Amino acid sequence: MIKTGKELAEAVKKIATSYKTLYVMGCFGAPLKAEYKERYCKNCSYNKQSARTAMIKAASADTFGFDCVCLIKGVLWGWSGDVNDKYGGAKYESNGVPDRDCNVIFDKCSGKTTDFSKIEIGEAVWLQGHIGVYIGDGLAVECTPSWKNGVQITAVANIGTKAGYSSRRWTKHGKLPYVTYEGAGASNGVKTNYIIGKTNAPVNVRAEASINGQIITKLSKGTAVKLTGKTVINGGLTWAEVIYNGKSCWCDKQWINS
């Protein structure tokens, strides 16, 4: 039974990295065996679309179906990847977790905010009609028909982009009521310092990230970076070393709100 946000994050991450999955509306982890496919081809108008029906019918028997909120519910209901169970091991509405849509589930979260500076591992990330789970290091797990068409790891664009990952900008994040958390920002994997600009100054003024003096990008206001603690004085300015998008680079320290 999942008890903490970190356990929830590990569980959804494992599904994204270790299992075959397919986006199937209303499915909370059922293996797509022949005897179960017909049920999901007819359970909602989305799955009845010819293209989606064809995908479901073509899926291998060791593929598991999820949608965005059913990924979270399925894991909290005890999903275990059991290909011999009609729901992959999940028990409907077990462990005190009700069957609700993503907007209702998110509405029950505490600490809902648009500020991603202290997001904690295992929190729900949300936008209207869609939900995922933050897993740390600026990444989330979500189930979506976009990109890989199933459960996948994506970058949280509110924190920053990451090479090799599709990015999504979420509206809010919050703590799910069904698991416990260690404390605000205790284990988010990124020390969230933000590139800022002076009042009335253009957002990107001097917020350049450079390597060996060569500018690699301009960091917009609200971009999260990780400070390494190293600084140098050059040209009368104090430059701070930061990790951005996995790269070590330097930024004018006056533009970093630490």
Side-chain angles (χ1 to χ4, degrees):
M1 177 177 165
I2 300 294
K3 295 183 178 180
T4 69
K6 291 183 75 172
E7 290 174 344
L8 175 61
E10 285 300 314
V12 296
K13 181 179 178 180
K14 184 176 180 180
I15 294 173
T17 57
S18 301
Y19 292 90
K20 294 179 183 178
T21 63
L22 178 69
Y23 185 89
V24 180
M25 184 76 76
C27 188
F28 54 90
L32 297 179
K33 293 185 174 183
E35 59 265 38
Y36 306 143
K37 288 180 178 181
E38 199 63 26
R39 175 173 67 209
Y40 293 106
C41 287
K42 296 180 178 180
N43 71 329
C44 67
S45 58
Y46 182 86
N47 293 343
K48 288 179 180 178
Q49 297 177 67
S50 58
R52 186 56 48 175
T53 294
M55 292 178 196
I56 295 171
K57 289 184 175 180
S60 60
D62 60 344
T63 299
F64 295 91
F66 291 98
D67 68 21
C68 67
V69 71
C70 283
L71 171 63
I72 296 172
K73 291 185 293 189
V75 168
L76 295 175
W77 289 341
W79 187 89
S80 61
D82 186 351
V83 294
N84 296 312
D85 183 275
K86 65 179 180 178
Y87 298 126
K91 306 301 178 187
Y92 182 71
E93 288 200 319
S94 61
N95 301 322
V97 181
D99 184 8
R100 300 291 186 270
D101 69 28
C102 66
N103 293 333
V104 174
I105 290 286
F106 187 74
D107 187 57
K108 301 297 182 183
C109 288
S110 62
K112 296 187 290 292
T113 178
T114 59
D115 180 1
F116 280 71
S117 65
K118 293 182 179 180
I119 186 171
E120 200 169 338
I121 289 176
E123 284 195 48
V125 287
W126 173 88
L127 55 81
Q128 181 65 35
H130 189 47
I131 197 167
V133 177
Y134 184 69
I135 62 170
D137 197 27
L139 300 172
V141 169
E142 59 177 297
C143 186
T144 172
S146 300
W147 306 308
K148 296 182 180 180
N149 194 21
V151 181
Q152 57 197 284
I153 299 174
T154 56
V156 177
N158 313 68
I159 295 174
T161 60
K162 278 186 172 288
Y165 295 96
S166 301
S167 298
R168 186 185 298 280
R169 181 167 294 276
W170 301 88
T171 303
K172 294 180 180 181
H173 66 89
K175 294 178 172 62
L176 291 157
Y178 317 113
V179 293
T180 59
Y181 296 87
E182 294 181 355
S187 55
N188 61 10
V190 175
K191 183 178 179 182
T192 47
N193 304 280
Y194 289 87
I195 301 301
I196 60 173
K198 292 180 179 178
T199 304
N200 298 323
V203 168
N204 282 325
V205 170
R206 288 197 171 184
E208 294 112 353
S210 61
I211 297 177
N212 295 327
Q214 182 176 359
I215 296 173
I216 59 170
T217 187
K218 285 182 177 289
L219 300 177
S220 300
K221 183 177 181 180
T223 300
V225 295
K226 181 178 180 181
L227 284 171
T228 68
K230 296 180 181 179
T231 59
V232 296
I233 305 296
N234 187 30
L237 298 174
T238 299
W239 296 86
E241 185 183 40
V242 301
I243 303 300
Y244 171 71
N245 204 17
K247 296 180 179 179
S248 171
C249 50
W250 297 85
C251 293
D252 184 346
K253 191 173 182 181
Q254 71 172 313
W255 297 103
I256 302 175
N257 174 21
S258 57

